[in-house]
Amino acid sequence: PTDPLMSKKKTYEQWRRLTRADCAVARAACEHFRDFCRSHPSYRPVHAWRFLAERRFDGFAAPPPPDIV
């Protein structure tokens, strides 16, 4: 959590609802999500439980394709 409003309890509840395969995808997505947050300093991350519950990790499961110029 990045602030006191981000509930660890709600996050853990969502984590327990995921399958083992989804847990692996969510863990792998964390690195890519962290990189996204670093490259967009004005972006305020969503609560961790929402990241899991809304399956936002699916969008960060694989590295983004390289820019085509």
Side-chain angles (χ1 to χ4, degrees):
T2 58
D3 64 52
L5 297 176
M6 293 187 174
S7 172
K8 291 180 186 177
K9 181 179 178 182
K10 286 175 85 172
T11 301
Y12 183 64
E13 289 170 3
Q14 289 301 321
W15 180 258
R16 289 181 47 105
R17 292 179 184 180
L18 296 176
T19 65
R20 284 183 183 244
D22 286 341
C23 287
V25 172
R27 274 194 301 270
C30 287
E31 180 181 347
H32 303 295
F33 183 62
R34 184 183 64 230
D35 293 343
F36 174 82
C37 292
R38 284 183 179 154
S39 65
H40 297 86
S42 62
Y43 175 75
R44 185 176 187 282
V46 297
H47 293 246
W49 69 268
R50 183 172 287 167
F51 185 77
L52 297 174
E54 295 178 357
R55 298 190 59 89
R56 293 184 181 205
F57 58 86
D58 286 332
F60 293 96
D67 291 337
I68 299 174
V69 178

